[in-house]
Amino acid sequence: MHKLKVIAITMVLVILYLVGIASVPSAPPAFPPVRPPSTHMQVTLPPSWYSGNQAPVGVTDYGAYYSGSVETPYKYSTSEFMGNFTIYTASFTSNSRYYPNSFSIQLNVVLNYTKTNGQSAYLWVQDVAVINTATNQMNIVDNIWNLTSSKSVLKGVSGNGKIYTYQGQNYYAYQYPSTISFAYPLQVSLFVTVSVNSQRYPVINFYFIYGGKVVQYDSVVVKVPVQSAAFYVEGYTTLPSGLYEDAELVTGGPGGGSNASPSAYKAYYTLQFLNGTKLVSVPHAFDYGADTAETVTGMADTAVGSYTAYLYPGSESWSALW
C-alpha cells in the first residue's frame, strides 16, 4: 500500500512538472499589431480602436498636431530612434497567462523601404523591455512584423532570432539571453538603427543601454535589394494595412495582446530621433499609441519639463503632450 502511494505521488509530481514545462512559451513574446476593423487612409486622432481608460500609454509622434481644432500633418525620416525611461517605482498585474505581474515598454517604429522596382514596403520594428514587478527582473525582446498590407507575409529576414507564428501571422523575434535583475530607479534606453549594406539590403540593429553599457543584442538583415530605407513618421495618410506610420514609446501588457494595470507607477519617458548628427526630441507627441495590441488600464500621462512625459496611475486623458 505504501509503495502504491509513493508511485501515485511520483506520477502526480511528474504530471505537474510536464504541465509546468508545457506552460512555458516556446518562443519570445509576440507584441502584435492591432487589426483595424477597416482600412482608413486618413490619420484620425485618437484612433477608433481604443476607447475609455484602456490604451497603450506613453509618448507617440504621429506626424500630426492640432492647431486649435485643425489637424496639421507633417513627415520626416531618420536612421535612428531612441526611447528612454526612468522608473522610480512599479507594481503591475496583467491578464497574461505567463507574466501575471509584468508589463512592457515598447519602442515601436516603422521602417519604410523602397524596392529596386519602385514598390514601397513597411516593417514594424519593436525594441521592447518586459518588466516583472514581482521579481524586479527585466528581459529585452525584439519583434519585426510586416505592415505593408493586412495580408503581407514576413520573409527574407536573418538575425539572431527566428520567424514564428502568432494567430496565423508570422513575425520575427529574438530575446536577449540574460535576464536582468535591477533595483529602482531603473534607467534604460532602447534604440534601433537602420542602414543599407553593400548588397543594398536594409540592416536593422537593436540596442539597449543599462548600467552605463551599450548592448547591441541583435542585427537583422532584410534580404531585399532596395533603393532606400529609413524610419518614417508621416501624418498625412495611414499605411495600406490601416495602421499609423508613427514612432511610439508606450506602456502595455507583457505580450500577446495583453492588458496590464498599475497599482503603483512613477516613471519618466522621452522619445528621440537622429536629426543630422544629433539626437533630438520628437517635435510633437500624444499620450497614447496607435499600433500595438498591448494596453494598460488606469494610466495617466502628462508632460513635464522639456519634452518629457510623466506616467502614473490615473485616468487616460487622450491628449497632446506637446
Side-chain angles (χ1 to χ4, degrees), residues 82 187-191 207-215:
M82 176 178 283
Q187 189 170 16
V188 177
S189 294
L190 305 169
F191 71 100
Y207 302 83
F208 68 92
I209 302 174
Y210 172 72
K213 295 181 179 180
V214 179
V215 179

Side-chain angles (χ1 to χ4, degrees), residues 34-201:
V34 295
R35 290 300 170 198
S38 59
T39 300
H40 299 283
M41 297 309 292
Q42 179 65 39
V43 171
T44 57
L45 301 174
S48 61
W49 44 86
Y50 303 121
S51 62
N53 198 29
Q54 184 170 306
V57 175
V59 178
T60 300
D61 184 356
Y62 288 102
Y65 67 96
Y66 280 106
S67 178
S69 60
V70 178
E71 184 178 315
T72 303
Y74 59 91
K75 68 178 180 180
Y76 63 89
S77 64
T78 183
S79 62
E80 179 179 341
F81 271 103
M82 176 178 283
N84 312 286
F85 61 86
T86 301
I87 303 172
Y88 289 90
T89 184
S91 180
F92 278 77
T93 56
S94 85
N95 62 358
S96 168
R97 174 186 175 189
Y98 304 115
Y99 311 103
N101 299 105
S102 298
F103 69 103
S104 68
I105 300 177
Q106 307 177 16
L107 174 64
N108 298 332
V109 295
V110 178
L111 174 61
N112 180 330
Y113 62 89
T114 303
K115 301 177 185 179
T116 52
N117 63 6
Q119 293 181 336
S120 294
Y122 308 92
L123 298 182
W124 197 39
V125 176
Q126 301 177 283
D127 197 351
V128 183
V130 180
I131 298 168
N132 187 326
T133 61
T135 62
N136 285 6
Q137 291 181 316
M138 176 177 66
N139 290 102
I140 305 294
V141 186
D142 64 33
N143 276 194
I144 299 175
W145 304 72
N146 193 336
L147 295 190
T148 303
S149 74
S150 58
K151 297 181 180 179
S152 294
V153 175
L154 181 69
K155 58 184 178 180
V157 294
S158 177
N160 291 335
K162 299 178 181 178
I163 291 180
Y164 301 91
T165 301
Y166 174 82
Q167 295 186 352
Q169 185 179 10
N170 62 348
Y171 70 103
Y172 172 91
Y174 178 69
Q175 180 166 308
Y176 179 65
S178 299
T179 296
I180 298 169
S181 297
F182 65 86
Y184 295 109
L186 172 62
Q187 189 170 16
V188 177
S189 294
L190 305 169
F191 71 100
V192 292
T193 67
V194 64
S195 59
V196 176
N197 67 15
S198 59
Q199 296 173 288
R200 303 302 302 172
Y201 293 161

Side-chain angles (χ1 to χ4, degrees), residues 4 9 23 47 56 67 74 92 186 205 223 231 245 259 299:
L4 289 175
I9 291 170
S23 68
S67 178
Y74 59 91
F92 278 77
L186 172 62
N205 292 314
K223 295 182 179 179
F231 300 120
E245 195 168 10
N259 174 263
M299 182 75 83

